Amino acid sequence: LLGRDELFVEVADLFRCALKLDPDDFEAWFSLACSYSRLYECLADESYFREADAAYLRASELVGNDAGLWSSWGQLLLNSA
């Protein structure tokens, strides 16, 4: 995916499909959040920030004690400042 940022839109769509099958899948929420974070970082589109933030929130509701989650979410917030 390096150098092919447009593929992250496709990746996010695939995680959305996975979440239709299992809306309580932590890994899918976390991966979706990471995909949207990458899009926000590359394109500076606020809608991707909002999507990432919402996905991180849902992931945290499912598994609150995950260092990778908190680290990635914190990085998103730092990048938005």
Side-chain angles (χ1 to χ4, degrees), residues 2-31:
L2 293 174
R4 306 267 325 263
D5 298 327
E6 70 278 1
L7 292 179
F8 282 95
V9 173
E10 200 172 321
V11 169
D13 289 342
L14 292 172
F15 284 120
R16 285 266 179 220
C17 288
L19 287 164
K20 287 180 184 175
L21 299 174
D22 184 1
D24 294 328
D25 183 340
F26 166 78
E27 290 296 331
W29 281 109
F30 181 52
S31 296

Side-chain angles (χ1 to χ4, degrees), residues 40-55:
Y40 173 69
E41 179 183 313
C42 294
L43 304 175
D45 182 332
E46 289 296 317
S47 66
Y48 292 129
F49 172 84
R50 289 189 297 276
E51 292 287 347
D53 193 51

Side-chain angles (χ1 to χ4, degrees), residues 32-42 48 52 56 72 76:
L32 178 64
C34 291
S35 298
Y36 280 132
S37 289
R38 173 69 179 184
L39 285 165
Y40 173 69
E41 179 183 313
C42 294
Y48 292 129
Y56 281 126
S72 295
L76 171 71

